């Protein structure tokens, strides 16, 4: 088909999809606005109230709250876990993680018990990272819990918790529940798309890279995704076991080449975003690191979770 005809058809399709998307967004916004402000009629809250009765801790006193905010902000500035990865949040929002942690410490100390913390936050200020994968809680957090009178600290993502809890607690896992949790975790992270990529396409990219002995690229992509999309040059050298001084020029070429192949095979659209890109602090020179497109971060992390399980 002539290129002009292809472009004409693509343009027509895009217009139709844009109209459909706009209509769906308007319907969604209308539904949200029509939700009753009377929470006593909310079916979800109605179900939650008896389940959570007597199981929610008391809020911190005003004095303890202010003290926790100050400590949380101090930790952010000193890069002490947890919470320092939220430094860019406005106001005292960066201290929110520490507020959660302080309440965990107080309750665990009161009960002198172990703690299972279920969180969708997979950043390094909570998790111990090894080769880009989560390997349990940060040792500083484990030690602090013991110091404050608690026991052992365990951490799971919501998805992994549901998978582990179902057989132990002997409850039926409804088909699609895990996928529902994954979708909820993505709300606010992106617009529901992955920049033209699917799980199968990304897995094929990883498989082809591995087949060609570029496993280090896969490891860097996964590490960058867990670091909010960026892997600094030092981490790349560590992950790839490169000697000091080795050039990173051309590091992304295998990823770009195989991405082009997947486009030509129709596995991803022409508009699919670039998976791995070199970053530079100050113009030309050695790369300061490599980034994964923001739309791909949750998808890459999903594949990492599957590998772990």
């Amino acid at each position: 088909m002539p290129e002009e005809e292809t472009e004409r058809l693509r343009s027509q399709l895009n217009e139709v999809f844009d109209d459909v998307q706009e209509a769906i967004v308007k319907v969604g916004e209308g539904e949200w606005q029509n939700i009753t402000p009377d929470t006593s009629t909310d079916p979800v809250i109605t179900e939650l109230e008896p389940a959570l009765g007597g199981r929610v801790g008391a809020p911190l006193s005003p004095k303890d709250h202010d003290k926790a905010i100050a400590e949380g902000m101090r930790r952010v500035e000193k890069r002490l876990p947890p919470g320092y990865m939220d430094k860019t949040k406005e106001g005292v929002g960066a201290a929110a993680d520490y507020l959660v942690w302080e309440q965990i410490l107080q309750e665990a100390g009161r009960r002198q018990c172990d703690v299972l913390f279920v969180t969708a936050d997979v950043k390094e200020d909570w998790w111990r990272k090894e080769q880009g994968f989560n390997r349990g809680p940060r040792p500083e957090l484990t030690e602090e819990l013991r110091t404050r009178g608690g026991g052992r600290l365990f951490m799971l993502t919501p998805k992994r918790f549901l998978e582990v809890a179902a057989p132990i607690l002997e409850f039926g896992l409804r088909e699609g529940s895990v996928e529902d949790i994954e979708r909820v975790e993505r709300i606010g992270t992106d617009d529901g798309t992955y920049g033209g990529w699917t799980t199968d396409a990304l897995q094929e990219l990883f498989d082809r890279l591995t087949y060609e002995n570029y496993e280090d690229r896969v490891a860097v992509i996964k590490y960058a995704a867990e670091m909010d999309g960026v892997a600094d040059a030092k981490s790349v050298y560590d992950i790839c076991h490169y000697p000091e001084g080795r050039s990173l020029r051309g590091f992304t070429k295998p990823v770009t080449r195989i991405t082009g192949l997947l486009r030509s095979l129709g596995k991803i659209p022409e508009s699919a975003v670039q998976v791995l890109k070199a970053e530079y602090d100050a113009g030309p020179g050695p790369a300061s690191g490599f980034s994964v497109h923001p739309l791909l971060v949750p998808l890459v992390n999903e594949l990492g979770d599957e590998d772990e399980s």
Side-chain angles (χ1 to χ4, degrees):
M1 185 179 296
E3 185 176 349
E4 295 80 4
E5 182 68 5
T6 301
E7 288 300 321
R8 185 184 67 80
L9 293 174
R10 181 182 289 116
S11 178
Q12 289 181 352
L13 284 172
N14 286 338
E15 288 179 6
V16 172
F17 283 123
D18 288 344
D19 288 343
V20 172
Q21 183 175 356
E22 183 179 352
I24 292 173
V25 169
K26 287 180 179 179
V27 170
E29 288 176 349
E31 290 292 331
W32 177 259
Q33 293 164 358
N34 291 331
I35 290 177
T36 173
D38 183 2
T39 56
S40 65
T41 64
D42 188 314
V44 176
I45 293 179
T46 301
E47 292 289 332
L48 281 175
E49 281 183 335
L52 298 178
R55 295 181 173 88
V56 178
L60 296 172
S61 68
K63 181 180 178 180
D64 287 344
H65 180 272
D66 292 344
K67 184 179 177 181
I69 288 290
E71 173 62 13
M73 298 305 292
R74 183 189 74 84
R75 293 194 181 203
V76 168
E77 290 301 319
K78 299 292 184 181
R79 291 186 61 82
L80 300 173
Y84 64 80
M85 293 294 288
D86 293 333
K87 185 175 182 178
T88 57
K89 289 186 176 180
E90 296 181 0
V92 296
D97 279 14
Y98 181 74
L99 284 175
V100 174
W101 178 236
E102 175 61 26
Q103 290 185 310
I104 290 174
L105 292 174
Q106 289 191 15
E107 187 65 16
R110 183 181 70 82
R111 299 191 193 186
Q112 296 185 334
C113 65
D114 296 337
V115 171
L116 169 59
F117 182 39
V118 181
T119 176
D121 190 334
V122 295
K123 296 192 290 295
E124 67 173 50
D125 52 350
W126 282 107
W127 297 85
R128 185 179 82 253
K129 303 285 185 176
E130 292 181 6
Q131 298 295 320
F133 297 106
N134 293 335
R135 302 296 187 187
R138 294 270 303 234
E140 301 96 322
L141 301 180
T142 300
E143 180 59 30
E144 187 172 14
L145 181 67
R146 290 199 182 100
T147 301
R148 293 283 291 271
R152 297 168 297 174
L153 176 62
F154 304 92
M155 288 173 57
L156 292 173
T157 63
K159 173 189 172 185
R160 187 65 182 137
F161 169 73
L162 194 60
E163 294 170 339
V164 171
I168 295 175
L169 301 180
E170 298 181 348
F171 64 81
L173 190 58
R174 181 177 60 83
E175 184 178 357
S177 294
V178 173
E179 290 76 12
D180 288 343
I181 286 181
E182 291 173 346
R183 281 193 289 271
V184 170
E185 290 176 0
R186 289 197 296 267
I187 292 176
T189 302
D190 58 50
D191 61 0
T193 69
Y194 297 112
W197 288 83
T198 63
T199 301
D200 290 341
L202 189 61
Q203 185 61 63
E204 183 168 349
L205 171 66
F206 289 172
D207 290 344
R208 288 178 178 271
L209 286 168
T210 301
Y211 178 77
E212 295 185 17
N213 294 321
Y214 292 118
E215 302 98 326
D216 51 4
R217 270 63 168 183
V218 177
V220 168
I221 291 170
K222 291 182 177 180
Y223 176 82
E226 294 208 358
M227 294 297 105
D228 279 349
V230 178
D232 59 88
K234 182 180 182 304
S235 298
V236 173
Y237 277 99
D238 291 342
I239 292 171
C240 300
H241 305 293
Y242 287 166
E244 186 177 352
R246 170 171 172 164
S247 173
L248 295 176
R249 186 186 300 274
F251 186 81
T252 63
K253 283 186 177 180
V255 181
T256 303
R257 174 173 52 78
I258 295 176
T259 297
L261 174 61
L262 295 178
R263 285 196 182 99
S264 68
L265 293 174
K267 302 294 182 71
I268 56 174
E270 290 294 328
S271 59
V273 298
Q274 187 174 349
V275 176
L276 192 64
K277 184 178 72 171
E279 299 291 339
Y280 301 90
D281 283 339
S288 59
F290 297 88
S291 64
V292 171
H293 195 284
L295 293 177
L296 275 173
V297 167
L299 186 60
V300 176
N301 283 330
E302 281 184 23
L303 285 180
D305 289 341
E306 291 174 5
D307 291 343
E308 286 292 281
S309 60

